[in-house]
Amino acid sequence: MRNNFTVKVNGATVHYNDEGISTVPLVFIHGFPFDKTLWLPQYHFFKTHYRVIVYDIRGFGFSTNDSDTDFSIEVLAKDLLLFLHALKIEKAIVCGLSMGGYVLMNALRLDPDKFSGIIVCDTQCNADSEEAKQKRYRTIEHIRAKGITGFAEEFVKDAFYIDSFNTKKEEIEAVTRVILNTKQQTIISALKAMAERKESCSTLESLKIPTLIICGKQDKLTPPEKAQAMHTLVKNSVIAIINNAGHLSNIDQPEEFNAHVKKFIESL
Ligand code: MLT
């Protein structure tokens, strides 16, 4: 990716790529535990017709969490809003996948006027159940004891559609490398942030912003029922369930994913 930039916001140094031209930019927020390269198939597709921005969440990729202390999803939401402000962006179409969706829905609650359209993919508006929370804390203990290698392998197994392990070897290797290059402390902070996050369903219920909801039909981490529940909450939202796609539906089926996003943007 060309056009690499950095900006300091909210005690973080944010690395991002910014390319193309349009009045309203299209901003992508990656999921856990990835970085902005998660969006390569979208970045290259959309930059020819739109201004596209991808950024690394604090601690992930090249972005730093300058204080090195734990962060919450709310802090990540403020980072997003301050990042848009620093780039002098008044309104954006923002797309968040999974944890990126949690960040986006929290930012919507804080400042809905910043968004002219939202795309939430392979995510959910619920908070963690007690069981899910406990599972995250067990994962943290496991990572502290054994490091992130085993965690990365297990995570990747669940993140893609089964056929992609044969057809998208390079992409899967790249995603695995991203996880393995992530600081252990960032992974632990993000797991805690997700475990302690508040629900966003009440934000969606009162939402009046055009919304596209995308989910891989075979997403094991945030299955289509979660997408359907959000679709029921957001009046006039559009839902797209992509077949032969898992949690990383934008990598499993990039052409179909991009086509849904393009149609949505053109409808605004
Ligand atoms: C993600 O992909 O961002 C995470 O799987 C979300 C989660 O664990 O809740």
Side-chain angles (χ1 to χ4, degrees):
M1 270 188 283
R2 294 179 319 172
N3 295 35
N4 282 292
F5 303 98
T6 59
V7 64
K8 275 196 169 279
V9 284
N10 207 19
T13 306
V14 177
H15 282 242
Y16 65 102
N17 298 75
D18 185 346
E19 207 168 336
I21 300 167
S22 57
T23 9
V24 180
L26 181 57
V27 179
F28 289 94
I29 320 170
H30 64 81
F32 165 88
F34 313 114
D35 69 7
K36 58 187 166 70
T37 58
L38 180 86
W39 295 113
L40 272 172
Q42 284 64 48
Y43 189 77
H44 291 307
F45 180 81
F46 285 105
K47 72 178 185 191
T48 48
H49 288 98
Y50 297 94
R51 178 177 176 196
V52 183
I53 299 170
V54 293
Y55 74 98
D56 286 333
I57 290 176
R58 67 166 68 213
F60 292 92
F62 289 107
S63 290
T64 57
N65 176 23
D66 295 343
S67 64
D68 249 347
T69 51
D70 278 347
F71 48 80
S72 61
I73 295 294
E74 189 152 40
V75 165
L76 303 185
K78 286 185 183 149
D79 288 351
L80 166 66
L81 293 170
L82 292 167
F83 173 63
L84 295 177
H85 181 75
L87 268 63
K88 300 191 171 40
I89 292 171
E90 285 185 4
K91 269 189 188 282
I93 301 164
V94 182
C95 173
L97 186 138
S98 202
M99 183 180 77
Y102 307 157
V103 173
L104 172 55
M105 288 183 271
N106 268 268
L108 270 175
R109 182 173 48 76
L110 298 173
D111 191 357
D113 292 342
K114 270 280 177 214
F115 305 91
S116 52
I118 64 154
I119 304 158
V120 281
C121 334
D122 299 283
T123 192
Q124 58 185 328
C125 62
N126 315 77
D128 269 5
S129 63
E130 200 43 47
E131 197 190 336
K133 217 182 240 198
Q134 292 317 321
K135 188 166 172 240
R136 293 205 204 266
Y137 283 106
R138 282 198 303 277
T139 305
I140 291 175
E141 287 321 310
H142 185 269
I143 290 174
R144 282 202 174 115
K146 303 234 157 63
I148 57 172
T149 311
F151 160 78
E153 280 163 9
E154 285 307 307
F155 198 93
V156 165
K157 268 192 215 154
D158 282 339
F160 290 95
Y161 177 57
I162 185 120
D163 286 5
S164 296
F165 290 95
N166 289 320
T167 57
K168 298 208 178 287
K169 287 198 169 117
E170 253 177 53
E171 288 87 338
I172 294 181
E173 268 168 39
V175 163
T176 311
R177 264 197 313 276
V178 167
I179 306 180
L180 292 172
N181 286 335
T182 306
K183 278 200 331 205
Q184 182 166 316
Q185 190 48 45
T186 298
I187 293 190
I188 290 175
S189 289
L191 282 165
K192 279 192 208 161
M194 290 191 289
E196 300 305 329
R197 77 184 190 282
K198 299 194 181 75
E199 63 80 32
S200 292
C201 304
S202 48
T203 304
L204 293 189
E205 242 171 348
S206 55
L207 197 65
K208 293 199 176 60
I209 298 164
T211 301
L212 169 64
I213 299 158
I214 300 181
C215 187
K217 191 167 180 188
Q218 288 80 19
D219 183 343
K220 294 184 204 155
L221 301 175
T222 42
E225 299 87 80
K226 304 282 186 189
Q228 196 57 52
M230 293 192 291
H231 178 48
T232 309
L233 288 175
V234 189
K235 245 186 239 124
N236 303 322
S237 57
V238 177
I239 186 166
I241 305 294
I242 301 181
N243 200 15
N244 301 335
H247 190 55
L248 299 184
S249 57
N250 69 309
I251 298 182
D252 279 323
Q253 298 299 338
E255 289 84 11
E256 195 175 338
F257 186 99
N258 292 348
H260 287 298
V261 173
K262 186 168 180 276
K263 192 169 165 204
F264 174 71
I265 301 172
E266 286 171 356
S267 75
L268 298 177

